[in-house]
Amino acid sequence: MGNERLLEYYRLFEELLRSMTEIDGFDLEQIKKALAELCKLFRISKGTTEFYKSINHEKTGKGDIFVGYDNGEDSIEIISRRIVTKTMAVVKCSAYMSKNDEPLSDVEYEKVDLIMKTLLSFISRNRLQSVVEKFAFYDNNGYRNVRSFIRYLEQLNEHNQLYGKAAVYFNLRHFTLINREIGRSAGDIAIRNYFTMIEEIVGEKGIVCRVGGDNFVAVFDDELLEDVLNILKGVPVVYDNNSNKRIMVSASTGVLRMTKNFVFEEAGDIMDRLVTSSQTAKMGGKDSIVFFDDKMEVGKEKRMKIQQLFPIALKNEEFKVFYQPKIDIETGELIGAEALCRWFRDGKIVPPMEFIPILEQNTDICQLDFYMLDHTCKDIRRWLDEGRKVVRVSVNLSRKHMMDVDLLEHIMEIVDRNNVPHEYIEIELTETTTDVEFRDLKRVVSGLQQAGICTSVDDFGMGYSSLNLIREIPWNVLKVDRSFLPLDDDNSQSTRSVMFKYVVGMAKELGLECIAEGVETEKQVKILRDNQCIFAQGYFFDKPLPLSEFEERLSSHRYKIDASENE
């Protein structure tokens, strides 16, 4: 190999290396150009590289084949190199020569071999980088993940491009029910199509990522916000690509707009604001879209304070049991009560709405529920020991308990430790909407029934699985939510009146004890009588009472139903 060709080789090889090792990334066109010149220099008629994710993929030919150079001549393979990476991927590099060309000399063969080994190293390294990128910044379903979102925010901040951006965190509403309705695989298609709708709006002006499950986050130019929110408010989405069957999909959404006053310290600050506003949207009923404002920061601090104070308050027994009577409206007899929690701190009552939703955000609520059950049982045991006429008392348990596989045992341990006859305890459980919770609810209710403990479904009609709930689970009591109870100005044909009539009728047909909540007027008592719903609870009779006052009611044990004479 003459000096002139050798110098040309060194020049081209240096150019190849430079193209592969640019600081900002490799230059593919420059690499191809250098390889083509090197092939010509060594009379190589064709050069190929192959990449397979695994040895099995190599055997079945499922991989990527790249032809770096081909002059079209009929040729034979003269050298091939193959490596298996640590991730078990396979990289191959092959060189071909025309049958009519002079074979490579030993020096030439050595140079071509070095070029091929360099290519193998370059390809395996960059493929590995691609795999790492995929694992780090994409989830198992191919969605960009929260790391992608954080990296994108940091890149925007680095280039001072956060101003004028909007970020959203959204949770698909009732998607467990949708999965139950159309099946999980069809649900996955619906999620992907919904995601794609938003991604097409955002385009190159932002990023859309999946946080996990049916939770997503996105950031994009503020000018696109209205179009994105129109999708998030609810649109029909195809879930069967063959028949174009559609289902309505909407989301609870938290929004953060990054104005000139916005100060970026770290990506977590943005996520915190988005999650806070999203949770508010999720709990806000009609307001499915909530924009973050500074007042929410105050709410966040308040939430953290409640969570910090809770263990101390529990230890100091600052939570007191109040009892709201349940009445037989035909006789005026006190037939039961509901145990309700009141928090006394520094001589004042902390309203339940200020701490119950916060405790519901984790398992703190479960500790409070067991505390309430324990203290209720202690009161019942004392009443029995004092010879009082005792009534059945219902205790609420949060849906959060459904995560506890030993819930039934925990309930029984508290009741039996206090030596309370089972007929004096009623466990109220709220409706649930997930398949897993539903199965657990059925197991717990059945176990309580076998133990002789009464069970009631709280707030019936507020959930989305009400009919399944009473068809498949053996409840004793159905509590009709106040939203079903007709108001004084409703006539007998109003929606409320008709629905109340049929809910009560259905409960009686199924052999369930039926009690109406939120009874506040004499006319509502008449409506209950007309519909043969004889058990009631509400301010018309009594508000939730502190222990001493409720014990007075236990002693008298009877109410006068006439409003003018009501105690």
Side-chain angles (χ1 to χ4, degrees):
M1 189 172 179
N3 287 338
E4 188 174 326
R5 288 185 67 229
L6 194 59
L7 287 172
E8 180 66 4
Y9 158 74
Y10 285 129
R11 184 186 70 79
L12 291 172
F13 191 61
E14 183 180 337
E15 190 175 303
L16 177 66
L17 290 176
R18 190 185 304 114
S19 302
M20 291 177 173
T21 55
E22 290 287 348
I23 294 176
D24 294 334
F26 59 85
D27 186 334
L28 184 58
E29 289 305 314
Q30 199 62 36
I31 291 172
K32 288 166 67 176
K33 182 180 177 183
L35 283 173
E37 293 298 321
L38 284 165
C39 285
K40 292 174 186 177
L41 183 67
F42 290 102
R43 304 181 302 286
I44 303 298
S45 59
K46 184 169 76 170
T48 64
T49 59
E50 302 170 45
F51 179 85
Y52 303 94
K53 291 181 180 178
S54 67
I55 294 173
N56 284 335
H57 281 190
E58 180 190 19
K59 290 177 180 177
T60 56
K62 295 179 180 177
D64 299 326
I65 299 176
F66 172 70
V67 179
Y69 176 75
D70 187 357
N71 64 11
E73 293 181 9
D74 187 22
S75 55
I76 58 172
E77 183 182 290
I78 60 160
I79 182 171
S80 180
R81 291 286 178 261
R82 173 182 179 273
I83 61 170
V84 179
T85 70
K86 290 181 179 179
T87 62
M88 299 307 291
V90 178
V91 186
K92 290 177 67 175
C93 192
S94 303
Y96 299 79
M97 286 188 74
S98 171
K99 297 176 182 179
N100 302 322
D101 280 334
E102 180 186 348
L104 295 175
S105 66
D106 290 345
V107 174
E108 288 176 325
Y109 188 94
E110 181 184 308
K111 303 300 182 190
V112 171
D113 191 37
L114 179 60
I115 294 168
M116 292 175 70
K117 288 176 180 176
T118 303
L119 273 175
L120 287 174
S121 175
F122 170 74
I123 293 167
S124 60
R125 185 181 74 246
N126 281 283
R127 283 288 185 165
L128 180 61
Q129 184 177 344
S130 173
V131 169
V132 170
E133 168 85 8
K134 184 174 180 181
F135 279 127
F137 296 103
Y138 291 80
D139 67 17
N140 293 335
N141 296 302
Y143 293 95
R144 288 189 184 93
N145 61 20
V146 72
R147 291 192 195 94
S148 288
F149 180 72
I150 291 172
R151 179 176 65 170
Y152 190 79
L153 288 177
E154 289 172 345
Q155 289 170 346
L156 288 175
N157 183 56
E158 186 177 345
H159 295 94
N160 296 315
Q161 294 176 346
L162 277 172
Y163 168 61
K165 293 288 190 291
V168 297
Y169 185 110
F170 57 98
N171 168 261
L172 306 187
R173 305 185 85 185
H174 316 310
F175 216 82
T176 299
L177 295 174
I178 291 176
N179 278 333
R180 187 187 299 172
E181 182 72 23
I182 64 177
R184 191 166 296 278
S185 59
D188 289 343
I189 293 172
I191 288 178
R192 173 63 71 179
N193 290 339
Y194 191 67
F195 179 89
T196 301
M197 285 182 184
I198 297 169
E199 202 169 43
E200 286 176 350
I201 293 172
V202 170
E204 298 296 319
K205 296 182 177 181
I207 190 172
V208 188
C209 306
R210 189 181 194 180
V211 178
D214 52 9
N215 295 285
F216 299 83
V217 65
V219 62
F220 42 80
D221 288 358
D222 193 89
E223 65 189 32
L224 303 174
L225 181 59
E226 185 176 351
D227 290 339
V228 170
L229 292 183
N230 283 337
I231 299 291
L232 296 175
K233 287 174 184 175
V235 291
V237 178
V238 172
Y239 66 87
D240 185 329
N241 292 328
N242 295 319
S243 63
N244 280 329
K245 289 181 179 177
R246 302 188 300 173
I247 194 164
M248 284 296 296
V249 179
S250 62
S252 299
T253 307
V255 183
L256 174 66
R257 302 180 98 158
M258 285 168 263
T259 62
K260 288 182 179 179
N261 298 326
F262 179 77
V263 177
F264 179 90
E265 293 182 0
E266 59 179 2
D269 293 337
I270 291 178
M271 284 297 292
D272 284 348
R273 289 174 169 89
L274 286 172
V275 170
T276 298
S277 52
S278 174
Q279 287 176 341
T280 304
K282 201 171 181 180
M283 298 167 59
K286 294 180 181 179
D287 297 325
S288 62
I289 295 171
V290 173
F291 286 76
F292 180 86
D293 63 33
D294 292 337
K295 293 178 183 176
M296 291 182 183
E297 286 289 356
V298 176
K300 180 183 174 183
E301 291 172 6
K302 191 173 183 180
R303 182 174 74 248
M304 292 174 65
K305 184 177 180 181
I306 293 289
Q307 291 170 341
Q308 289 171 353
L309 288 174
F310 174 70
I312 302 167
L314 202 64
K315 183 179 179 181
N316 294 338
E317 298 195 344
E318 294 177 11
F319 298 100
K320 304 297 180 185
V321 183
F322 275 44
Y323 294 93
Q324 186 169 31
K326 299 176 183 178
I327 310 300
D328 181 330
I329 62 172
E330 293 294 335
T331 65
E333 184 181 1
L334 173 65
I335 52 92
E338 179 179 0
L340 297 165
C341 183
R342 295 294 181 266
W343 183 3
F344 285 82
R345 182 160 187 82
D346 298 329
K348 297 179 181 178
I349 293 183
V350 181
M353 283 306 296
E354 288 191 13
F355 68 91
I356 295 293
I358 292 171
L359 300 182
E360 284 273 8
Q361 292 178 14
N362 53 39
T363 55
D364 285 347
I365 191 67
C366 299
Q367 293 183 59
L368 181 60
D369 287 347
F370 287 145
Y371 170 98
M372 290 289 293
L373 177 59
D374 182 57
H375 282 64
T376 299
C377 287
K378 283 178 167 57
D379 286 341
I380 293 173
R381 184 65 259 167
R382 182 171 51 78
W383 296 335
L384 288 168
D385 293 342
E386 292 172 354
R388 295 178 184 271
K389 186 176 181 181
V390 181
V391 294
R392 189 174 74 211
V393 181
S394 61
V395 179
N396 291 279
L397 293 190
S398 164
R399 187 182 298 149
K400 290 283 184 179
H401 287 282
M402 290 303 109
M403 295 185 291
D404 180 3
V405 294
D406 298 317
L407 175 59
L408 183 59
E409 290 76 10
H410 290 151
I411 294 171
M412 298 309 303
E413 189 277 329
I414 294 171
V415 175
D416 292 340
R417 171 164 40 84
N418 286 287
N419 194 25
V420 171
H422 293 182
E423 65 264 27
Y424 292 118
I425 292 293
E426 177 181 321
I427 299 296
E428 285 191 24
L429 295 155
T430 55
E431 292 196 32
T432 181
T433 57
T434 72
D435 294 331
V436 174
E437 287 179 354
F438 193 90
R439 289 195 299 271
D440 289 337
L441 191 63
K442 187 174 182 178
R443 175 180 57 81
V444 171
V445 170
S446 298
L448 289 170
Q449 291 253 324
Q450 290 172 15
I453 290 181
C454 192
T455 59
S456 60
V457 54
D458 191 22
D459 294 338
F460 176 80
M462 293 298 288
Y464 294 84
S465 56
S466 303
L467 294 178
N468 277 340
L469 201 70
I470 61 172
R471 182 182 66 191
E472 296 188 26
I473 298 180
W475 304 99
N476 300 102
V477 181
L478 186 150
K479 295 190 75 176
V480 184
D481 185 72
R482 66 180 64 235
S483 64
F484 278 78
L485 187 60
L487 303 176
D488 282 1
D489 56 357
D490 284 330
N491 61 44
S492 61
Q493 300 305 312
S494 72
T495 301
R496 279 175 179 258
S497 297
V498 172
M499 292 186 73
F500 181 76
K501 173 183 176 181
Y502 282 103
V503 167
V504 172
M506 178 176 61
K508 293 176 71 66
E509 286 288 326
L510 292 170
L512 299 177
E513 184 180 301
C514 190
I515 182 167
E517 296 182 285
V519 178
E520 296 181 353
T521 68
E522 191 170 3
K523 184 173 181 181
Q524 286 179 326
V525 173
K526 183 178 184 305
I527 291 168
L528 264 59
R529 282 203 189 99
D530 292 344
N531 287 280
Q532 297 181 320
C533 178
I534 62 170
F535 299 135
Q537 174 183 345
Y539 276 38
F540 178 74
F541 306 101
D542 253 325
K543 63 183 185 299
L545 302 170
L547 179 62
S548 58
E549 289 186 38
F550 180 69
E551 288 177 343
E552 291 177 10
R553 300 294 195 274
L554 275 179
S555 298
S556 60
H557 219 79
R558 192 171 296 277
Y559 283 71
K560 295 178 181 179
I561 304 303
D562 189 330
S564 63
E565 301 177 354
N566 186 41
E567 294 182 353

